[in-house]
Amino acid sequence: MGLLDKLLGKSAHTVTARPSGVSFEVRANQSILEAALAQGIAFPHSCTVGTCGSCKCRLKSGRIREITNFGYVLSAAELQGDVILACQAAPKTDLELEVAGLASKRLHPAGDFTGRITAQDALTPDIRRVTLRLDRPLHFDAGQYVQLAVPEVFGARAYSLAIPPHADGCGEIALFIRHVPGGAFTDLLFDGRLDDVELRVHGPSGNFWLRESRAPMLCVAGGSGLAPLLSLLEDAAARDVGRPCVVLFGARTQADLYAQDAIAAVGERWNGAFSFVPVLSDEPASSDWAGARGLVTAHIAASFTAFTAPDAEAYLCGPPPMIDAAEPVLRELGIAAENTHCDRFLDGSHGLARQELG
Ligand code: FES
């Protein structure tokens, strides 16, 4: 705790995570998750706003204050079993928590930046590549996201970084943003009314980063979910990770396919087997499309069977129905739940945590 906090009578508490033994300080005005991320600790999380359940952990000792009611997200059994949401809990005492999946990896600490839009390039009829210049370089791990906000105009919207990280940080970042007609943020953005506006940028956040392994990897993206996977794949290609890789991308029609050149470039640089399977769900039967059709999840098994291995990993990014449909297929292929990493773009019914949908 800093001297100023002490003089002001503020208190900090120590949180110790088991079984990793990682411990960190949480200040009086912070949630457990916020403090962990500010200190670069890879605490499991996704939405950061109490809707996804990714930050669930068990309170082994100590007392907490609920910032918002856990009852909306946790089951009765979980509540009785002392499960809490780290993003919606503040310590009242020192705590001991049981946190499954807390990796030893150190993430770049999250912070507040300002940014201005410098370019908007159409990728599809409703998705743009939006470039922002930041007030200082952002350090992040490939696959993470940032939150954009203009206080008093609209609250935080989360978008994955669509570029690979750089050792010196990135003073310019790019995001893939889908227009949601009637959406407070994307209507302003697509109208060009945010082009001269200072945006508040917070990040990096998210646990969707590539785990160290030589095992085969399966990547599945839907819609604008290609952004974090492209970041992750470009970074992995540059680092020469040397793992067999299969990428599936689900879109509606040929007009909704984008970043195909970038993925082809990754495939050319990739050290090892690499295949890319675009799948279209609503392409007219009479069109010249000769590729895969239907739901992207229906093509996972046939695309990845040759690479199945006990330690194979899956990276999924897109809408929850796509991820929910993929999970049983992955289990059939022998890809363990702990080796499955998901970045769900939640919709309004889940509390509008990632992206903007209406
Ligand atoms: Fe806490 Fe989503 S990160 S509920």
Side-chain angles (χ1 to χ4, degrees):
M1 181 169 44
L3 179 60
L4 183 61
D5 285 347
K6 279 185 181 159
L7 291 174
L8 293 173
K10 292 180 180 172
S11 59
H13 296 292
T14 302
V15 172
T16 304
R18 304 290 180 203
S20 62
V22 169
S23 75
F24 53 97
E25 296 280 293
V26 184
R27 295 200 312 268
N29 58 351
Q30 288 181 307
S31 71
I32 296 168
L33 181 67
E34 187 183 356
L37 298 184
Q39 291 165 70
I41 292 163
F43 203 106
H45 72 286
S46 180
C47 71
T48 74
V49 293
T51 57
C52 72
S54 304
C55 64
K56 283 180 199 171
C57 53
R58 192 175 305 278
L59 182 61
K60 288 168 67 86
S61 68
R63 288 181 297 117
I64 55 113
R65 172 176 65 83
E66 290 184 28
I67 298 169
T68 62
N69 189 342
F70 300 159
Y72 292 110
V73 175
L74 301 179
S75 67
E78 287 174 328
L79 290 167
Q80 282 176 358
D82 292 327
V83 174
I84 65 169
L85 294 177
C87 72
Q88 299 302 314
K92 292 170 93 171
T93 65
D94 287 352
L95 305 178
E96 199 176 349
L97 302 177
E98 188 180 305
V99 187
L102 196 158
S104 56
K105 176 182 173 70
R106 298 297 289 197
L107 298 174
H108 294 286
D112 291 311
F113 299 75
T114 58
R116 283 184 187 274
I117 293 168
T118 55
Q120 294 197 46
D121 300 297
L123 298 175
T124 74
D126 63 354
I127 299 176
R128 287 185 185 169
R129 184 182 197 274
V130 178
T131 307
L132 290 99
R133 172 145 290 284
L134 303 179
D135 59 327
R136 65 188 191 282
L138 172 72
H139 292 266
F140 60 95
D141 279 272
Q144 291 195 290
Y145 68 86
V146 293
Q147 294 177 346
L148 307 182
V150 176
E152 297 173 12
V153 179
F154 60 85
R157 268 50 173 181
Y159 292 97
S160 295
L161 292 145
I163 54 169
H166 189 278
D168 298 329
C170 295
E172 199 165 73
I173 60 172
L175 315 168
F176 295 164
I177 300 184
R178 188 170 75 82
H179 183 217
V180 181
F185 167 58
T186 58
D187 271 358
L188 291 174
L189 177 77
F190 275 61
D191 278 355
R193 283 183 280 163
L194 294 179
D195 286 356
D196 295 316
V197 174
E198 186 172 277
L199 297 164
R200 198 177 70 195
V201 181
H202 179 81
S205 302
N207 242 13
F208 192 74
W209 36 270
L210 187 66
R211 273 59 181 176
E212 286 300 323
S213 170
R214 302 281 292 177
M217 54 190 278
L218 167 70
C219 302
V220 185
S224 59
L226 205 47
L229 280 179
L230 192 57
S231 169
L232 192 143
L233 290 168
E234 288 185 335
D235 180 54
R239 292 191 292 116
D240 211 12
V241 299
R243 322 172 45 168
C245 179
V246 174
V247 181
L248 292 102
F249 175 42
R252 288 167 298 189
T253 68
Q254 289 192 67
D256 300 305
L257 290 174
Y258 63 96
Q260 307 294 284
D261 293 352
I263 295 175
V266 167
E268 278 167 24
R269 294 179 70 186
W270 199 263
N271 173 13
F274 184 95
S275 65
F276 173 54
V277 184
V279 183
L280 301 183
S281 61
D282 295 317
E283 178 71 6
S286 57
S287 85
D288 61 353
W289 176 250
R293 292 173 180 266
L295 293 178
V296 66
T297 48
H299 293 268
I300 291 175
S303 306
F304 198 66
T305 300
F307 299 105
T308 48
D311 53 352
E313 293 181 336
Y315 294 85
L316 314 177
C317 189
M322 183 201 85
I323 292 174
D324 292 342
E327 297 262 13
V329 182
L330 302 182
R331 296 302 94 76
E332 283 278 307
L333 286 169
I335 300 179
E338 60 266 28
N339 288 336
T340 300
H341 307 288
C342 303
D343 196 358
R344 292 172 184 264
F345 286 2
L346 302 182
D347 64 18
S349 65
H350 292 77
L352 195 57
R354 303 294 316 279
Q355 302 267 4
E356 173 177 91
L357 292 118

